[in-house]
Amino acid sequence: MATQIIACFVVSVGLFLLSPVRVAPTPASMCTPLKTLNDSLSHRRRYMKHNFPINYTIRVHRKEVFKPSNINSLRLQVKGLDELVLQRLWFQVNQGVLKKIIRVMPERHPSRPYTTELERRFRDVEGVFVQSHPAELFQQELPETIQETWDHLTEESDRVPESSWRLASPKSLLDNFCHTMHCLFSECFASTEAQQDCDQWQKTLKP
Ligand SMILES: *[C@@H]1O[C@H](CO)[C@@H](O)[C@H](O)[C@H]1NC(C)=O
Ligand SMILES: *[C@@H]1O[C@H](CO)[C@@H](O)[C@H](O)[C@H]1NC(C)=O
């Protein structure tokens, strides 16, 4: 009995030493605000498609067209990429996306209340995210590829070269927003949602 306990102890210490010190990617406290955000996003067709002219697009940075496939290729490019880094990137991308969508809507646009509510809920998630990780984590140096993307995202608009702009519909931007959320915070969503939305990543996991 005692040896079993000791063996068990040794094994767990061993595992602990083997794996780099990592924080759980998604603390449980994030699931409530994420689900609230998910609820808002479920109305995106109505507010982001029907209230806009047919084929309406807005100009975004190409890095703001951030889909599950982009997450997948970053994971392949950067060895041992921390999920937390991808989550930080997700916040950065979608903060810009929401800002750009809100900017094109006049004060009395019928989708404005929806979008500002969505932004508020997004901020709530971000608040919990920041609170639930130690501050040093946010000062950690980013892998080079990620830092490059980050620099593009935070570039002044007038310094962005013409070739880096893309046209995207507000609905497609929120589709990406939602699908990447399911991929990056999969612990908070049903596995079917994550599986559907992160199809490519799931495939690479199972060779
Ligand atoms: C997220 O929203 C979808 C609708 O878009 C819904 O079917 C799903 O159950 C929601 N997931 C959670 C975990 O709330
Ligand atoms: C919208 O885009 C589709 C596909 O590109 C095109 O066939 C259609 O004519 C466009 N509609 C309008 C109103 O511009």
Side-chain angles (χ1 to χ4, degrees):
M1 183 69 166
T3 33
Q4 263 172 12
I5 291 171
I6 290 168
C8 205
F9 177 74
V10 169
V11 168
S12 42
V13 168
L15 285 178
F16 179 74
L17 292 177
L18 278 179
S19 55
V21 182
R22 283 200 182 190
V23 187
T26 310
S29 55
M30 283 188 68
C31 289
T32 308
L34 275 169
K35 282 174 187 167
T36 310
L37 182 62
N38 181 63
D39 283 344
S40 281
L41 283 167
S42 67
H43 304 295
R44 64 188 184 278
R45 171 173 286 275
R46 179 157 142 221
Y47 291 104
M48 288 294 129
K49 199 173 174 100
H50 300 167
N51 287 344
F52 284 95
I54 296 171
N55 295 347
Y56 183 81
T57 56
I58 64 173
R59 210 169 68 136
V60 295
H61 194 281
R62 67 188 167 86
K63 297 286 183 190
E64 286 172 330
V65 181
F66 187 67
K67 302 177 189 180
S69 58
N70 299 108
I71 294 179
N72 184 37
S73 61
L74 285 173
R75 277 168 171 159
L76 292 173
Q77 267 175 61
V78 185
K79 244 183 100 197
L81 181 58
D82 198 328
E83 280 296 285
L84 214 88
V85 168
L86 285 171
Q87 292 174 348
R88 284 176 62 193
L89 195 60
W90 180 84
F91 281 108
Q92 188 64 37
V93 166
N94 289 296
Q95 177 192 311
V97 163
L98 284 172
K99 212 163 100 183
K100 289 191 169 77
I101 296 177
I102 290 174
R103 207 164 51 203
V104 299
M105 294 190 305
E107 204 61 48
R108 297 169 65 148
H109 191 283
S111 293
R112 204 171 228 276
Y114 168 79
T115 317
T116 50
E117 171 77 356
L118 187 68
E119 195 191 28
R120 201 177 57 71
R121 291 179 169 193
F122 175 70
R123 294 270 170 223
D124 288 347
V125 178
E126 191 178 39
V128 177
F129 178 72
V130 170
Q131 268 169 32
S132 46
H133 296 295
E136 306 87 75
L137 250 145
F138 298 97
Q139 279 135 32
Q140 253 175 25
E141 207 175 308
L142 295 169
E144 202 180 314
T145 318
I146 306 288
Q147 186 63 54
E148 264 170 36
T149 304
W150 196 279
D151 293 343
H152 283 307
L153 289 168
T154 49
E155 217 162 27
E156 290 291 338
S157 328
D158 50 7
R159 298 194 48 206
V160 175
E162 203 53 43
S163 60
S164 289
W165 292 110
R166 294 289 178 274
L167 292 174
S169 71
K171 163 73 166 47
S172 76
L173 291 167
L174 288 200
D175 285 347
N176 295 342
F177 183 166
C178 187
H179 298 155
T180 49
M181 173 179 78
H182 291 161
C183 292
L184 289 174
F185 303 96
S186 55
E187 293 98 325
C188 300
F189 296 98
S191 58
T192 48
E193 280 169 307
Q195 230 150 37
Q196 252 169 19
D197 292 340
C198 322
D199 200 31
Q200 298 189 33
W201 171 237
Q202 299 289 331
K203 271 183 218 148
T204 63
L205 272 181
K206 292 181 223 125

